[in-house]
Amino acid sequence: MERCSWANVSELDQKYHDEEWGVPVHDDQQLFEMLILEGAQAGLSWTTILKKREGYREAFDKFHIETVAAYDEKKIAELLENPAIVRNKLKVNGTVINAKLVLEIQKEFGSFNEYIWQFVGGKSIINHWETLADVPSSTPESDAMSKALKKKGFKFVGTTICYAYMQATGMVNDHLTSCFRYGVDVSS
């Protein structure tokens, strides 16, 4: 069974690729989780983040947005001592800030889903890449998302992170044409 070449690093990568990557996500809590994990990955490998994913879920109260938004300095200090996550002060603080901003977006737009999916017109973009080298690291859509999120005050939302986020949540389906997941109907 052929899969996208990046997914052959570990069993965790394969499982993530085969079951999640490119599948549309419309649940606010899952969208928030992936935004945080993609930001945590900055400067690290995705395999590292997958290995720490359960630790993140436990440390950040299963990414319950309201709970994370209410974290105080004591909780942040505890998180910075937790070896189950990436203990980067900017990333941990950014998670709390981003949770607060997601709550604001929910009030304004009804849901984070409604807001974030507008950058792809509410529908998955299905690409037809033949090689990993063909896949861009950013697009006009990820540029627009990054710019809008930064304007609202979000942290760790550069255009490359936003594009990876779009891939992770199925806003963009970038399975290679040779991959067994290519052409599988995962439309939103």
Side-chain angles (χ1 to χ4, degrees):
M1 174 165 51
E2 191 167 340
R3 58 179 50 90
C4 299
S5 56
W6 65 263
N8 293 315
V9 176
S10 71
E11 284 184 36
L12 270 176
D13 292 293
Q14 288 178 2
K15 182 174 172 45
Y16 172 73
H17 168 274
D18 295 356
E19 298 174 9
E20 292 183 63
W21 194 69
V23 176
V25 174
H26 293 283
D27 175 79
D28 279 10
Q29 193 165 316
Q30 288 177 296
L31 287 166
F32 175 64
E33 175 181 343
M34 292 313 298
L35 184 68
I36 299 311
L37 294 178
E38 289 294 347
Q41 189 256 335
L44 302 169
S45 74
W46 185 243
T47 303
T48 297
I49 299 306
L50 286 176
K51 286 177 183 175
K52 291 183 174 283
R53 190 175 191 184
E54 288 307 316
Y56 264 91
R57 286 176 173 161
E58 186 176 320
F60 286 97
D61 294 287
K62 296 184 172 81
F63 292 98
H64 186 263
I65 301 163
E66 293 86 357
T67 304
V68 175
Y71 285 177
D72 58 15
E73 291 302 317
K74 181 181 177 200
K75 176 65 175 180
I76 291 169
E78 288 173 15
L79 289 167
L80 291 172
E81 296 297 320
N82 187 340
I85 66 169
V86 176
R87 294 175 287 178
N88 176 297
K89 188 172 186 171
L90 294 175
K91 290 177 181 181
V92 171
N93 283 325
T95 299
V96 178
I97 291 166
N98 290 352
K100 291 175 183 177
L101 294 170
V102 167
L103 292 177
E104 288 179 19
I105 286 173
Q106 288 175 325
K107 286 179 188 163
E108 184 179 350
F109 290 86
S111 71
F112 188 57
N113 175 66
E114 285 297 316
Y115 174 78
I116 207 70
W117 274 83
Q118 73 177 327
F119 296 100
V120 293
K123 184 177 170 187
S124 297
I125 296 170
I126 311 297
N127 288 314
H128 312 283
W129 311 120
E130 292 185 18
T131 70
L132 195 56
D134 296 334
V135 181
S137 60
S138 65
T139 61
E141 293 85 1
S142 68
D143 292 346
M145 179 188 287
S146 175
K147 184 177 179 183
L149 290 173
K150 285 179 180 179
K151 187 174 181 182
K152 288 188 174 292
F154 278 81
K155 307 298 181 194
F156 292 94
V157 289
T159 188
T160 301
I161 290 172
C162 284
Y163 194 69
Y165 176 67
M166 293 167 80
Q167 293 170 314
T169 59
M171 288 179 226
V172 174
N173 188 326
D174 275 349
H175 286 286
L176 301 179
T177 56
S178 58
C179 177
F180 82 97
R181 294 285 293 159
Y182 176 77
V184 173
D185 185 14
V186 293
S187 59
S188 52

